[in-house]
Amino acid sequence: MSSKKQSVMAKNTLQELYLRNDSCRDRKPHILALLTSHMIGMEPGFSYLKKLTKKDITLRMAAEEEMLKQFPLQELVNLTGNDDWISPTAFHAQPIDQFDEIFLPILSFSLITDILSLNEKRPIVQIILKGLLKGKRITALKAGGDPFSQYWKLKGMDKGPDLLKRKLNEQMTELKMLGIRLIDLHQQAEFDVQHVKKTVITDESVRFARFSKLDQIAVPKGAIITPLARDTAKELKIEIILH
C-alpha cells in the first residue's frame, strides 16, 4: 500500500498492544469479514468494506481460496481499503471467540445454499455456523442474494422468472430465521462488543464426557465450572482444560 495511506493492519496491531497494556479500557468491536466471489459482481461489498475502514472498529478480512485465485491479494487490499488479511492457511483454524461479530459483504448463491444446508465442510460456512452456535451476531449485505435489489437492475439481471425470484427471496427469509441480520447498501451497520453468555460446565457435562469415553474436557476460558462438576471430574479422573 502507499506509504501515505495508514495501514489498517498496523492500526489494529497498535490497538491490540494498547489494550493489552491496559485491560481496563474499553476495546473496539472486533469484526471478521468473510469474502467469497459472486457471478453478478462484488462491487457493493467492496464499496461497503471501504466505508467500514472509517468506523471505530477493528476489522479483519479473510477470503476463500477461489476468490484469491480471481483477485490477487494486493488488488483486494486496494478494492477494500484494508490490508489486515488472514491468510487462507490460518483462515481454517481461526478462533471465532476473538471476534464479536461476523460480516458477510458478499452473499453469493452458493454461500446462501451452503449456509442453509449446514455444509460444515466448506471452511467459510463452518466459521459462520460456529459463530451462530456460539451466539455471535452475523450481519450480511443482502444485495447479492436479493433479486429485487437495485444492483441487480443495474447489472440487467432483474428479468428472471418469478419462480426463481421467489425461491431466492425465500432463501433470504430463511437466513433471517437462522438469526443472520440482513442489511441494505444504504444502511449503517452498527457493530458492538458482544457479551456472550458464559459456558457452564455441570456434573452432567462431566458424566457425559465419561459416557463418551473421554479423559479430558476442553472448555473456553471464562467458563463457569460448578463445584459438583469439579468433584465429579476428580472422582472420574477426567481433566478439565481451559483453552
Side-chain angles (χ1 to χ4, degrees), residues 7-233:
S7 165
V8 174
M9 181 169 62
K11 183 179 71 173
N12 289 347
T13 302
L14 288 172
Q15 171 76 5
E16 289 298 321
L17 291 172
Y18 177 66
L19 291 175
R20 194 179 299 169
N21 291 331
D22 191 347
S23 58
C24 294
R25 296 182 184 274
D26 292 334
R27 66 174 179 82
K28 298 178 182 179
H30 282 52
I31 313 302
L32 174 63
L34 301 175
L35 282 77
T36 187
S37 57
H38 196 324
M39 59 175 278
I40 68 168
M42 288 80 77
E43 293 88 349
F46 292 149
S47 175
Y48 203 93
L49 286 168
K50 232 171 191 177
K51 292 176 184 176
L52 287 184
T53 61
K54 299 174 183 177
K55 291 181 74 70
D56 195 27
I57 60 175
T58 298
L59 178 64
R60 302 200 68 197
M61 319 279 282
E64 289 191 296
E65 289 187 29
E66 285 301 315
M67 190 171 188
L68 290 173
K69 291 176 184 176
Q70 185 178 353
F71 294 92
L73 182 57
Q74 187 56 50
E75 187 176 351
L76 287 174
V77 169
N78 295 335
L79 287 167
T80 62
N82 191 324
D83 65 349
D84 194 353
W85 289 76
I86 300 167
S87 69
T89 50
F91 170 66
H92 304 316
Q94 191 65 31
I96 193 67
D97 292 331
Q98 65 183 258
F99 296 100
D100 295 297
E101 300 190 31
I102 295 173
F103 180 58
L104 308 175
I106 301 161
L107 271 182
S108 67
F109 300 146
S110 65
L111 180 58
I112 294 171
T113 301
D114 282 346
I115 293 173
L116 294 178
S117 63
L118 310 181
N119 181 12
E120 73 208 79
K121 293 183 179 179
R122 184 174 174 181
I124 189 173
V125 176
Q126 185 179 111
I127 290 178
I128 293 167
L129 294 176
K130 278 184 180 178
L132 288 170
L133 291 170
K134 285 177 172 283
K136 305 287 182 182
R137 186 161 69 173
I138 316 287
T139 300
L141 202 61
K142 69 179 186 179
D146 180 7
F148 304 107
S149 167
Q150 289 298 317
Y151 181 65
W152 287 49
K153 288 185 178 181
L154 291 174
K155 287 287 186 175
M157 299 187 71
D158 60 327
K159 302 169 182 65
D162 290 341
L163 179 60
L164 177 58
K165 291 179 180 179
R166 280 201 303 272
K167 184 174 179 61
L168 290 169
N169 203 44
E170 286 170 3
Q171 287 184 323
M172 298 296 280
T173 301
E174 287 184 60
L175 286 179
K176 286 194 283 187
M177 291 173 68
L178 278 181
I180 296 177
R181 179 177 62 159
L182 302 177
I183 60 172
D184 289 314
L185 291 169
H186 63 273
Q187 282 183 268
Q188 291 289 327
E190 297 301 329
F191 298 111
D192 300 302
V193 174
Q194 299 294 303
H195 302 286
V196 181
K197 291 181 180 178
K198 291 185 177 182
T199 300
V200 179
I201 303 300
T202 64
D203 167 71
E204 187 178 355
S205 308
V206 177
R207 293 191 182 281
F208 178 77
R210 175 62 181 271
F211 177 77
S212 302
K213 298 181 179 178
L214 300 175
D215 55 10
Q216 291 181 340
I217 302 176
V219 299
K221 287 182 180 179
I224 298 171
I225 304 170
T226 66
L228 183 55
R230 291 186 185 278
D231 292 342
T232 303

